[in-house]
Amino acid sequence: MELIDFVSGKMSWTLAIVNGGNVGRQVAPHMMIELRTAGFIEVSADLDETDRAVLEHIEKFIIERFQAEKLDGFEEFCSCYYQAGEGFLTGVGEESGLGLLTTEVCDMVVALPGWSLVACNSGSYAGGKHREQQMVFRRDYNPLGDEEYLSVNLCSSGSVQVDGKDQKAIFRKRRLGCQVADGFPREVPKATDEERSSRCYTWKAEDFLSTIGSLTVFFELQGWELQVCSRQTIS
């Protein structure tokens, strides 16, 4: 409360909201990875020398998996900046393979000792021409941190996209009266390894809050746990 009094009373700021949750260890390194359908990957982290090996591991993965090239001149804005090879992170919507690649990058990072996903956000830019996916990781030794992830994208346009590995036979179970969309399941060139799949279903768009609650219950009954959730407007 003293901090609130100082910031609002002395610095002319106004407190609008406050939110609490499981913050894990109070002193822990964080790292953000951004995937952009314009064909670029950005890694930002403020790590001690003892943790720098993490960036080397991630760089090796990005260069090999995305056939990427590291670009110079962006040190003022991020730790590392890469341009993905031809055929990666291109296309519009599902064709970009962004959902699949998000799960692959996430699973790679959380497999590192102590690291877990703590936030995930996506959006569109350049007038809706491109999309970006942001993932924030923290080394907090969360006991669920090294579990593999599944991405579920619920759209008001009437589609549900599920990306990741078919664990617990999740792709053979349906909810919300969904039907497999035309053209799915399908391969996205260079988008993922053989163990991953992208499935898209149609659904009758209803109230988002109640639907998210219903989906959360469904997945938890299948042995999954909701780790992060966000909502955006995509052009």
Side-chain angles (χ1 to χ4, degrees), residues 197-234:
S197 182
S198 178
R199 305 294 176 98
C200 190
Y201 307 91
T202 60
W203 74 297
K204 184 179 179 181
E206 299 175 353
D207 178 70
F208 257 77
L209 291 179
S210 61
T211 302
I212 291 173
S214 179
L215 275 177
T216 301
V217 172
F218 166 73
F219 277 98
E220 289 194 350
L221 290 176
Q222 313 307 316
W224 294 82
E225 178 176 299
L226 179 66
Q227 191 77 359
V228 296
C229 181
S230 62
R231 183 177 180 179
Q232 292 83 30
T233 300
I234 305 294

Side-chain angles (χ1 to χ4, degrees), residues 31-33 35 102 105-106 117 119-120 133-137:
M31 172 173 56
M32 181 171 69
I33 299 178
L35 306 179
T102 296
V105 171
C106 181
L117 179 70
C120 190
Q133 182 77 55
Q134 301 171 332
M135 293 166 282
V136 177
F137 301 91

